[in-house]
Amino acid sequence: MLKKIWDNLEEFIIVPLIFAMSIIIFIQVICRYVFQNSLTWSEELARYMFVWLVYFSVSFTARRQKHIRIDAAINLYPKKLRPYIEILSEIIVLAFSIFIAVTGVTVFHKIAWSGQMSPAMGIPMQFVYAAPMIGLALTAIRQLQTIVQKVKALKNNTEEVAEA
């Protein structure tokens, strides 16, 4: 059960966020155009949900190994070097993720210390600013999983070639 949750963590967060965000925006449109009265909080909440959605989507794409990379550049290298170049590119994404997560911790603490509140809903802004910290920390974990998987595959492939 825990493995299933861990393996699908991003989906368990992304799907409800998309659903709730769509409902909130739909209700806002109905209120604005049918009842001629806007909700004061809906746009802000939808925006914050979108921020969280983006950072969990980064982790989702990392887990699925679908993040942006330039395959044409990798294909410039000889076939024997490509697996190593792919691992190097994953390490670069890992380093970037760790950098942003650590920077996110600093920003989170500064915002928490300042006591800044959102204008329409009055929620502490550190909850919004926690998104990059949590999303990119999860991305770093997913990158580590990918690197380990690729190194194992490379090792198994190298052993098979050596045995043949």
Side-chain angles (χ1 to χ4, degrees), residues 5 8-9 32 40 44 46 63 70 77 84-87 90 103-106 114 116 118 125 133 136 144 148-149 155:
I5 291 171
N8 298 296
L9 179 64
R32 181 177 290 162
T40 58
E44 185 175 281
R63 182 176 56 94
I70 303 171
Y77 293 95
Y84 299 101
I85 300 299
E86 286 182 10
I87 292 171
E90 300 294 347
T103 303
V105 170
T106 304
S114 75
Q116 185 179 355
S118 70
M125 287 302 291
M133 175 181 65
L136 274 295
L144 278 172
V148 167
Q149 179 185 7
K155 184 180 175 186

Side-chain angles (χ1 to χ4, degrees), residues 12-153:
F12 290 141
I13 295 168
I14 291 171
V15 170
L17 278 174
I18 291 173
F19 181 75
M21 196 171 69
S22 299
I23 295 297
I24 290 168
I25 293 169
F26 176 74
I27 291 170
Q28 170 65 0
V29 169
I30 296 298
C31 287
R32 181 177 290 162
Y33 292 107
V34 174
F35 300 115
Q36 304 297 314
N37 192 7
S38 293
L39 301 172
T40 58
W41 53 269
S42 62
E43 185 180 329
E44 185 175 281
L45 180 58
R47 184 179 328 118
Y48 297 155
M49 292 172 97
F50 184 73
V51 168
W52 277 91
L53 175 70
V54 165
Y55 285 104
F56 275 100
S57 296
V58 171
S59 175
F60 175 76
T61 58
R63 182 176 56 94
R64 294 231 153 152
Q65 300 178 27
K66 299 289 184 189
H67 54 76
I68 297 174
R69 66 181 191 178
I70 303 171
D71 287 334
I74 291 173
N75 291 336
L76 291 174
Y77 293 95
K79 284 190 178 187
K80 287 185 176 184
L81 280 180
R82 288 180 192 166
Y84 299 101
I85 300 299
E86 286 182 10
I87 292 171
L88 177 63
S89 73
E90 300 294 347
I91 291 170
I92 291 169
V93 173
L94 171 65
F96 177 76
S97 300
I98 292 170
F99 173 76
I100 298 297
V102 170
T103 303
V105 170
T106 304
V107 172
F108 176 81
H109 286 298
K110 285 182 180 180
I111 296 297
W113 180 80
S114 75
Q116 185 179 355
M117 305 294 269
S118 70
M121 296 175 21
I123 61 170
M125 287 302 291
Q126 69 254 31
F127 294 123
V128 178
Y129 282 90
M133 175 181 65
I134 293 170
L136 274 295
L138 186 56
T139 301
I141 293 167
R142 298 301 191 186
Q143 283 301 118
L144 278 172
Q145 290 174 327
T146 299
I147 291 166
V148 167
Q149 179 185 7
K150 287 189 178 208
V151 167
K152 283 181 180 178

